[in-house]
């Protein structure tokens, strides 16, 4: 883990502004710390040596303290604003990038991991901005200023601080190595505990049914114990490490103090300078010690930002610039020798697949589950880039065109249609926002959903509609577009035979080119042609 990730500065303007502001605040803090020490030393020396009053010095000190308080407030305000700005920038960038990467990349576990990352995960950046970064800036400005100023009064003391100061980061790194292994062990124990607990709670009914609920108690107790022991171990190391750093800093200050004391007695050093050096010495060590503490507090946020960069650095498939996509109402579509192997898989999902779809044709893709039928549709839409082979229309490869323009030729009804929060009509209108109610109703009727009220509420992810209803709404949405090619993944699943027959009739009546993934005999029978996926052969029905 780097102290400061340059990618954060590159990607988020808010972070750069914040860093610049923090440097200004850091330098000002350094100046104020030195002024405070000088004033204190001057005041005390004046009282002790000359018996002068402290009025002017006290006013000066009060002003310095007020200014320091003001700086702390400014730092907090800047930090909160920066954290909010950076979080929203990163969230937006990740969302845009993952949309470009497409639904296949987003599928499965990744979507839930991404949801956690973009919500709670990135919120962990707050302590990074509010605590760690300002401290890092202070650690790089204040000690340098303090040592520099000390050198003007007492070179030997400045030299002592300069030599002992690096011991603090060295010890921090050594302690870091020990804590890393321990905290990993603790995190593992916590993950096991969480998993086990979720398992037990989830399966409580089954466990009770089989009289095994009691037996789980001891298992949970054992895992909890492991977690407790690991946590106590981490805490011990944490306490010991702050003790060690505290001791190191105190000894270093004592070393400076002894030297200053001896030179004061010898008369080589004035009282005012000696006091100034003594007051300043601990200030040189403090920011470095604090930065180590904040480093651990912000580790979660840094881990989240690393995850964000991993997403942002996922390369987008290379697509062309052309916008003159051939009209698929009159141009046939070809797939030549298309081979797709998903990352992490050994077997290809599609192997040397060829297909020709002529305008106006209804082609059914058949084959057992997992044969690669949905993958064919994903390749056509450009969501999956084949390892080998091409999609060709009118003599040009599909990847020469701008993806969004290419996709305008298609309307797609996937197995999981993903409806939005709103109404039935709102969801259907996604296909054509300016459609009238009559057009929406006609599309719903053609999709076999004449009975669905237009203003029926649809919950997130299509909740409040049955699986079959969701699919019909999605089909109506596809029918409402003017895309020449319909890609339908089992469009009649969940329909009764009569409605299915009606849907098939209205699909055929559109006269559009239709590529459907089909299992049901009625749907297969309605197609002009059946292509079996997975067996590398074309079957003409
Ligand atoms: P079908 O639609 O015929 O059921 P798919 O095209 O969905 O088949 O899947 C073909 C094969 O590719 C299956 O073995 C499936 O597990 C695998 N597969 C599909 N999508 C992914 C993915 N995003 N990542 C990894 N493997 C996948």
């Amino acid at each position: 883990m780097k102290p400061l990730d340059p990618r954060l500065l590159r990607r988020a303007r808010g972070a750069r502004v914040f860093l610049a502001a923090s440097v200004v605040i850091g330098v000002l803090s350094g100046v104020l710390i030195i002024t405070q020490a000088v004033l204190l030393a001057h005041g005390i020396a004046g009282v002790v040596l000359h018996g002068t009053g402290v009025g002017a010095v006290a006013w000066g000190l009060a002003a310095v303290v007020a200014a320091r308080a003001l700086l702390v407030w400014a730092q907090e305000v800047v930090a909160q604003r920066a954290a909010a700005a950076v979080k929203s920038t990163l969230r937006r960038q990740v969302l845009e990038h993952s949309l470009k990467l497409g639904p296949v990349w987003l599928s499965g576990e990744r979507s839930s991991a991404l949801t956690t990352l973009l919500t709670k995960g990135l919120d962990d950046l707050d302590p990074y901005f509010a605590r760690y970064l300002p401290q890092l800036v202070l650690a790089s400005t204040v000690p340098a200023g303090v040592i520099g100023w000390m050198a003007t009064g007492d070179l030997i003391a400045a030299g002592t601080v300069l030599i002992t100061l690096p011991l603090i980061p060295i010890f921090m790194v050594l302690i870091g190595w020990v804590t890393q292994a321990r905290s990993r062990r603790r995190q593992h124990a916590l993950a096991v505990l969480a998993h086990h607990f979720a398992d037990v709670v989830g399966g409580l009914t089954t466990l009770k049914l089989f009289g095994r609920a009691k037996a789980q108690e001891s298992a949970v107790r054992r895992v909890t114990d492991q977690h407790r022991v690991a946590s106590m171990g981490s805490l011990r190391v944490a306490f010991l490490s702050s003790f060690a750093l505290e001791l190191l800093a105190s000894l270093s200050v004592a070393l400076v103090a002894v030297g200053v004391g001896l030179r004061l007695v010898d008369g080589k050093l004035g009282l005012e300078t000696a006091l100034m050096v003594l007051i300043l010495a601990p200030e040189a060590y403090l920011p470095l010690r604090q930065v180590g503490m904040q480093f651990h507090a912000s580790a979660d946020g840094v881990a989240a930002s690393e995850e964000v960069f991993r997403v942002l650095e996922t390369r987008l498939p290379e697509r062309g610039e052309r916008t003159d996509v051939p009209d698929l109402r009159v141009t046939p579509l070809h797939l030549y020798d298309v081979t797709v192997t998903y990352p992490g898989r050994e077997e290809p999902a599609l192997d040397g697949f060829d297909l020709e779809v002529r305008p106006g044709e209804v082609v059914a893709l058949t084959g057992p589950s997992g044969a690669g039928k949905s993958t064919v549709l994903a390749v056509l839409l450009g969501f999956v880039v084949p390892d080998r082979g091409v999609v060709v229309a009118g003599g040009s490869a599909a990847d020469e065109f701008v993806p969004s323009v290419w996709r305008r030729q298609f309307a797609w009804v996937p197995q999981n249609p993903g409806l939005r929060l709103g109404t039935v009509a709102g969801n259907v209108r996604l296909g054509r926002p300016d459609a009238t109610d009559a057009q929406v109703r006609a599309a719903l009727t053609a999709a076999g959903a004449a009975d669905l009220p237009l203003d029926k509420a649809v919950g997130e992810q299509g909740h409040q509609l049955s699986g079959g209803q969701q699919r019909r709404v999605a089909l109506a949405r596809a029918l409402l577009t003017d895309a020449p090619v319909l890609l339908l993944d089992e469009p009649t699943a969940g329909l009764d035979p009569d409605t299915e027959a009606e849907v098939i009739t209205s699909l055929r009546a559109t006269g559009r080119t239709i590529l459907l993934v089909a299992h049901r005999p009625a749907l297969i029978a309605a197609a002009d042609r059946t292509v079996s996926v997975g067996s590398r052969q074309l079957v003409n029905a």
Side-chain angles (χ1 to χ4, degrees), residues 295-315:
F295 182 68
H296 292 292
S298 64
D300 286 345
V302 174
S305 68
E306 276 170 8
E307 197 57 34
V308 162
F309 296 130
R310 229 160 47 91
V311 174
L312 291 179
E313 282 160 14
T314 310
R315 252 171 19 96

Side-chain angles (χ1 to χ4, degrees), residues 104 107 342 345 349 368-375:
V104 173
S107 64
Y342 284 106
R345 293 292 176 108
S369 192
K373 303 180 293 294
S374 306
T375 305

